[in-house]
Structure formats: structure tokens, C-alpha cells
Amino acid sequence: MLFVYNKPGDYRFWMKDTKIPLDMFWINSDKQIVHIEKDVQPSSYPESFGSEEPAQYVLETNAGFAKKYQIQNRDIVAF
């Protein structure tokens, strides 16, 4: 799932009511990954996750996606 915001900011996510582990990617306005949280478990709630750098987009994928495709901070994404 891709979350799109009108402007860069500090967008935090948690796993309430989520049933599967996720990888989360915070992406800046230049579409560069600025932070990755890998294999976030549903049991981590109420902990929240976010980026120290402002992000305009947050992408959630199935856990293991970042590892499978060797995605790293500073990679550029297209959508």
C-alpha cells in the first residue's frame, strides 16, 4: 500500500489490526528512500515507526520484500 501526503513530514506508522509482518519504506519528495523498517511484526503494536528525515510517501509491502530485492536507503523508486 502506498500512502501519499501533500507535503513532506514526520509520518509515523504502527501495526494495530495488521495481521501480517510488513516492510515499510519512507520516501522523500525526490522519490529517494530515506528510511526502511524491515519485518515489522503485528505484535510490535503499540510501538510506532517513522523516519528521522521528512518523507512524502510511505510504502508498505510484505515482509521480506526489501531483502529479496536488495532495497537500501538512498535507492530511487518510480511510481
Side-chain angles (χ1 to χ4, degrees):
M1 182 175 295
L2 178 64
F3 297 86
V4 178
Y5 297 96
N6 291 328
K7 62 182 181 177
D10 179 18
Y11 302 107
R12 307 212 38 100
F13 283 69
W14 57 86
M15 297 294 285
K16 184 176 181 184
D17 299 323
T18 304
K19 308 236 186 278
I20 61 170
L22 299 174
D23 287 351
M24 300 178 193
F25 305 85
W26 282 259
I27 304 164
N28 68 17
S29 56
D30 294 326
K31 297 192 177 133
Q32 184 178 54
I33 297 172
V34 294
H35 183 71
I36 302 172
E37 288 288 342
K38 297 178 184 176
D39 197 29
V40 180
Q41 297 295 313
S43 61
S44 66
Y45 180 78
E47 183 179 359
S48 66
F49 303 88
S51 173
E52 291 186 15
E53 293 185 45
Q56 189 164 353
Y57 310 94
V58 179
L59 177 65
E60 294 178 338
T61 66
N62 290 341
F65 188 87
K67 182 177 180 179
K68 180 178 180 178
Y69 294 101
Q70 301 177 346
I71 298 171
Q72 302 176 46
N73 281 332
R74 304 297 167 210
D75 284 351
I76 302 295
V77 299
F79 48 84

